[in-house]
Amino acid sequence: MILWEHLKNRMQLNMQQKICENNVSMTYEELIIFAEEFAKRLKGIKCCAILCQSEMAASMALLSCFAAEVTALPLSQRYGELHCNKILDAISPDAVITDQDGDFQIIHIEDSLYIEPEIHPALIMCTSGTTGVPKGAMLTETNVLTNVSDIALYFGIDKSDTILISRPLYHCAVLTGEFLTGLVKGVKIRFYSGAFNPAVVLKMLKEYNVTAFCGTPTLISTIARFKRKNDGDFLKHICISGECLSLETGLYIIEAFSNAEIYHIYGLTEASPRVTYLPPDKFKEHADCVGVPLRSVSLKIISSSGVPVKFNEIGTLWVKGDNVMAGYYNNPQKTKEVMDNGWLCTGDLALFTDEGLLKIKGRADDLIIKAGMNIYPQEVESALRLDSRVKDVFVRGYSDEKLGVQIELNITGDFSGVNEVKELCRCSLPAYQIPTRINLMDEIPKNGSGKIIRR
């Protein structure tokens, strides 16, 4: 129960601070009372899914699970019924907390197959992939508490700040890096539970005097595009994570939010999730780097031949620390594939710069190898985004029976047709990166947090 006691002790330092959504609010004091009272209703439950329309309601349910020492399984309605059902089938919790009809309900699942692991998880966080069988990362109280404490050390928010949480708590980066860290730091927390809409988010940032905001490069750069000079410099703290950020996009964000401290951060669900952060004073010069490891984290980059890489050499990133998961729920084989003597294989290709900063090149499974050339989709995307006509873009590889591996470009923007996009590619990209197939689209699919769906 160390996690709940730690959160409670820190919240008690700011008892009149509030969490809010729309016109509803409650103080930290009321939140503590609610969590401990509702926890009594969870007696006998081993694993409880949380499926609420309201993210504020989800946060209340989450803290109740912590107080009851019940494993919480966050879900998100923004991902749709099919996605939620896949997770429920994979984990098979014995209850669900929902805010259906406006009231908290506990729905008991009679045919649950949940088996309590040897090490009790505070959370089972499922990977956000939209295909295949979800993997449930088991995060212990120590995992979560370690990560929250490390984030609180460098994230410069305090009780004078208001943070807007616009993405689902289903995402570990949101749950740990925004909500729990926000509670520990005593900030005012405002939730937005609507669909991905940068214009609405920007309106809320201004309307509620929000000073701290976290999101993907796609989300924040889109908000920057909507922002006008007369909107003022309201944001003081920005955290960017979830996708590779180019130096050019970073500079664009700096220009839009010139008075903000901007952190570029990196993590993955299996690490609770935060692994590294780039301090704001380094952002302007090194925006495409994700910085240095957190206090409790160790890193290594291993080449394809199994040896540590030198500076500026690309390899696979491994992570170790008390924030690293206990394993995947009921899946020892998958756990064995990514864990080795306490080290976690992230599956991300990365390098250390001469300054010792970590730079992520992309997912190993996104890498396109065309005619022996390594092509990182994010590099192609970054080059194309420099053109003002481009609104959104993503690149992936595909296999052609005659030509072998080729490049597909999916793009939205102010173009008269595909030929204009082809001309942009010829002017912006080296020959080996030019796409074979171009799809000029009205919209590029994104998940519930505004992150491009690559698979």
Side-chain angles (χ1 to χ4, degrees):
M1 207 168 175
I2 58 170
L3 177 58
W4 170 244
E5 290 300 326
H6 177 80
L7 293 172
K8 179 180 174 181
N9 289 340
R10 295 302 297 266
M11 290 167 66
Q12 286 174 332
L13 300 175
N14 299 282
M15 291 289 256
Q16 297 311 304
Q17 189 59 282
K18 294 180 178 180
I19 69 169
C20 318
E21 186 173 2
N22 299 324
N23 296 321
V24 179
S25 67
M26 65 192 307
T27 64
Y28 280 16
E29 182 177 18
E30 291 167 334
L31 185 55
I32 291 170
I33 293 169
F34 174 88
E36 293 189 330
E37 284 300 310
F38 197 79
K40 297 173 184 176
R41 296 175 56 186
L42 300 177
K43 187 176 181 179
I45 295 172
K46 292 176 289 187
C47 178
C48 189
I50 299 172
L51 183 58
C52 296
Q53 294 178 332
S54 158
E55 291 300 328
M56 179 172 164
S59 75
M60 296 162 65
L62 177 72
L63 293 182
S64 300
C65 287
F66 289 165
E69 293 187 280
V70 170
T71 298
L73 174 67
L75 303 175
S76 174
Q77 293 191 349
R78 294 190 226 184
Y79 281 82
E81 184 177 346
L82 177 61
H83 186 68
C84 291
N85 284 340
K86 282 184 178 181
I87 295 174
L88 290 170
D89 288 343
I91 309 301
S92 191
D94 42 4
V96 179
I97 298 175
T98 177
D99 61 352
Q100 195 171 11
D101 301 324
D103 292 323
F104 273 94
Q105 300 177 41
I106 302 172
I107 301 172
H108 292 270
I109 302 174
E110 300 300 330
D111 56 351
S112 165
L113 300 175
Y114 183 80
I115 301 171
E116 180 72 28
E118 289 183 16
I119 301 175
H120 171 74
L123 292 163
I124 296 180
M125 302 294 293
C126 287
T127 53
S128 60
T130 55
T131 61
V133 178
K135 294 177 294 186
M138 298 187 293
L139 304 181
T140 67
E141 292 193 350
T142 298
N143 291 157
V144 178
L145 182 55
T146 298
N147 213 230
V148 170
S149 299
D150 282 358
I151 296 168
L153 275 179
Y154 74 79
F155 196 9
I157 53 175
D158 59 35
K159 61 184 179 182
S160 67
D161 286 301
T162 298
I163 188 170
L164 176 66
I165 297 179
S166 67
R167 299 176 292 171
L169 292 175
Y170 164 75
H171 292 282
C172 200
V174 180
L175 191 157
T176 303
E178 297 180 48
F179 175 57
L180 297 184
T181 301
L183 293 177
V184 165
K185 300 285 277 189
V187 307
K188 184 176 184 179
I189 298 172
R190 178 164 289 278
F191 292 97
Y192 166 63
S193 298
F196 174 74
N197 190 325
V200 171
V201 171
L202 177 58
K203 181 181 178 183
M204 293 185 68
L205 292 175
K206 294 185 293 184
E207 181 179 349
Y208 294 109
N209 299 313
V210 174
T211 58
F213 185 68
C214 307
T216 63
T218 299
L219 175 58
I220 294 177
S221 61
T222 305
I223 291 172
R225 190 187 296 265
F226 279 101
K227 185 177 180 290
R228 300 293 178 260
K229 288 185 178 180
N230 59 6
D231 287 338
D233 292 318
F234 42 87
L235 284 178
K236 297 179 182 178
H237 314 277
I238 296 175
C239 290
I240 304 173
S241 67
E243 298 167 334
C244 287
L245 173 69
S246 69
L247 184 59
E248 293 79 13
T249 302
L251 294 176
Y252 179 69
I253 292 171
I254 288 175
E255 185 178 353
F257 300 103
S258 56
N259 285 349
E261 288 188 333
I262 304 177
Y263 302 82
H264 189 192
I265 52 185
Y266 164 76
L268 66 163
T269 301
E270 290 86 345
S272 299
R274 197 64 49 79
V275 172
T276 66
Y277 76 102
L278 181 72
D281 62 353
K282 296 183 181 294
F283 187 83
K284 187 172 184 178
E285 187 177 355
H286 303 286
D288 56 344
C289 295
V290 291
V292 296
L294 274 62
R295 175 187 58 178
S296 303
V297 174
S298 298
L299 307 176
K300 65 180 180 180
I301 299 177
I302 303 299
S303 70
S304 57
S305 58
V307 298
V309 301
K310 300 176 182 178
F311 286 113
N312 293 307
E313 288 185 356
I314 298 172
T316 301
L317 178 65
W318 291 71
V319 176
K320 189 175 186 179
D322 285 341
N323 59 317
V324 171
M325 68 172 183
Y328 292 120
Y329 173 73
N330 200 28
N331 202 332
Q333 181 57 41
K334 286 291 183 183
T335 302
K336 188 176 180 180
E337 289 175 9
V338 300
M339 300 284 289
D340 182 17
N341 197 28
W343 285 94
L344 168 70
C345 179
T346 67
D348 287 320
L349 298 173
L351 59 84
F352 290 120
T353 67
D354 291 330
E355 294 82 7
L357 301 174
L358 182 69
K359 180 182 288 189
I360 304 296
K361 300 295 287 184
R363 293 289 302 168
D365 46 11
D366 287 339
L367 177 66
I368 303 167
I369 304 176
K370 178 185 175 186
M373 301 290 288
N374 287 349
I375 299 168
Y376 301 94
Q378 288 81 1
E379 288 186 354
V380 180
E381 294 162 4
S382 296
L384 296 176
R385 282 197 180 101
L386 293 176
D387 190 284
S388 60
R389 293 168 293 178
V390 177
K391 292 182 179 178
D392 223 340
V393 57
F394 88 96
V395 170
R396 62 185 173 193
Y398 71 97
S399 182
D400 184 277
E401 289 185 5
K402 295 181 179 179
L403 301 175
V405 174
Q406 297 296 308
I407 304 171
E408 177 184 272
L409 169 65
N410 299 274
I411 190 168
T412 66
D414 300 321
F415 298 99
S416 59
V418 170
N419 286 336
E420 194 174 341
V421 179
K422 287 181 179 178
E423 182 60 27
L424 168 63
C425 293
R426 283 194 290 268
C427 295
S428 306
L429 302 171
Y432 73 96
Q433 289 185 349
I434 292 177
T436 309
R437 187 162 66 195
I438 296 174
N439 301 315
L440 184 54
M441 307 172 73
D442 294 327
E443 185 177 356
I444 289 177
K446 295 182 176 68
N447 64 22
S449 66
K451 188 175 178 180
I452 290 172
I453 300 172
R454 292 186 176 272
R455 298 176 185 83

